Amino acid sequence: MLKRINIYDIFIFLLLFFMAAGEIGGSMQPSRMLAIAFFPLAIYVAITRHEQFTTYRYEGIFLTFWLLWSILSLHVARNIGESIKDVVYLFVHSILFFEILIFSAAAKQPLHSLVAGWVSMILLTIPVALFEFIYDIHLPMSAQESGSMMNFGYTVMERRFASVTFGNLNSYNQVICYSLPFLLFGILRAKRRWESYICVAIWLILAYLVIRNSSRGALLCFGASGAVFSYYYYRHGKNKIAFMIVIVLAVIISSTYLASSFDFILERLSSQGGSDHGRTENILTGLRALADSYLFGIGTGNYFVVMGQEYGVAIPAPHNLFLETLVVYGIIVFIGFCLLFVHIFNIAHRGNSITRQFFILCITCLGTSFFIDSAYLNHIPTWAYLASLYIGSDARYAQISI
């Protein structure tokens, strides 16, 4: 195995694996510290292999512009400390983004390292999550407290949850969604049967955790990505009978042992439907704030203060990756951000069936989960996911075996 990888594969793996630490360390989270530590080496590799990065010229120009734009927006900062912190986060996360691209160019098995990193990271969180559900005891960084209850009109229900190291259950649900395409791609492309079995087992446990966490968005992500996976598996899968057995067992077990959790989800759907007043308020008021800023954005680090204190939003949290980017940084950065996905699509489309398969799985998961969490741009997994999407969609790495 060691002969098939090199030090850059290990660097990719470590950047992803240490995301399991979540909010541990606060601003100095392990993945951020690793990204800073690897920065000089990444510059060296980028210089020695500069011809391989012409594909990502747009990304370099745009992220440089985005960083400069965020620095310029400091002149409207309501809390200069928070705004400077967000600028620093943007810089460090951009470094991490490019390090994954750079190290992938120098690695022997970048796609394998990506899948191994994401799968190992989410696997490490599972014991903690199960402990939280069993004992209703949570780590100190958890925003929610033990014994949480939710009120649906005349119905009051206990809500046990798992947030692991990520601060709140929405953030953990989002990280689970980020890990799904790598698990599913690992099942589709595994060379050894035991590897696919491990990915299936992890997928089933994550489905259980999401159901217990009662996340409508994460369940939508599971359903959509599962449908895409089923399509690809029936076209390329090796053991369709085993696949059907797993599906049937999953349905039987979930309906038998997770009845109370499904009741909770159904209660939420019956009382709230697919809508959410807080998210709707943030969307409508956010667009008004954007218009009031003449489409230049309200400025980095200002969302909570501006939306909460100046516009009176009850829960000033965007809960939307694209809304957050648009309202905070304005229409120019938002268009540039959307063009990243257009570029990724073009890279995948020019590739082959493997790159297109990976791209569709990742976009399906992102497209059905970008409204679960808040402060996406301040979270390392968002940037790691985008960088991983680039690598998996690039035909230069598509022939490397999982």
Side-chain angles (χ1 to χ4, degrees), residues 99-251:
E99 283 177 350
I100 293 176
L101 300 185
I102 291 167
F103 292 153
S104 293
K108 289 185 177 180
Q109 297 282 337
L111 200 52
H112 179 279
S113 301
L114 284 177
V115 173
W118 279 100
V119 172
S120 299
M121 180 276 298
I122 203 65
L123 178 62
L124 188 61
T125 70
I126 288 176
V128 181
L130 294 174
F131 179 87
E132 289 184 271
F133 281 123
I134 294 170
Y135 297 104
D136 198 23
I137 298 174
H138 310 281
L139 296 176
M141 69 281 299
S142 177
Q144 293 94 5
E145 298 179 355
S146 302
S148 296
M149 307 293 290
M150 288 198 74
N151 191 326
F152 302 102
Y154 295 105
T155 304
V156 179
M157 303 180 72
E158 179 186 15
R159 185 179 195 182
R160 290 205 175 188
F161 65 91
S163 57
V164 192
T165 57
F166 298 97
N168 65 77
L169 61 93
N170 285 332
S171 294
Y172 184 47
N173 289 332
Q174 185 65 59
V175 171
I176 289 175
C177 291
Y178 283 152
S179 71
L180 290 182
F182 304 95
L183 282 166
L184 298 175
F185 191 75
I187 297 170
L188 289 170
R189 295 293 170 179
K191 297 298 182 181
R192 291 166 288 275
R193 185 171 295 181
W194 64 267
E195 292 179 340
S196 64
Y197 288 162
I198 289 175
C199 289
V200 169
I202 296 172
W203 185 90
L204 291 172
I205 296 172
L206 293 180
Y208 165 81
L209 295 178
V210 164
I211 292 170
R212 289 295 304 272
N213 259 347
S214 306
S215 171
R216 293 166 295 175
L219 280 174
L220 177 62
C221 181
F222 261 85
S225 61
V228 172
F229 168 80
S230 298
Y231 169 75
Y232 284 130
Y233 192 88
Y234 263 86
R235 290 186 62 184
H236 307 290
K238 299 176 181 178
N239 197 332
K240 298 179 175 61
I241 296 177
F243 174 72
M244 289 301 301
I245 292 174
V246 169
I247 296 298
V248 172
L249 287 176
V251 172

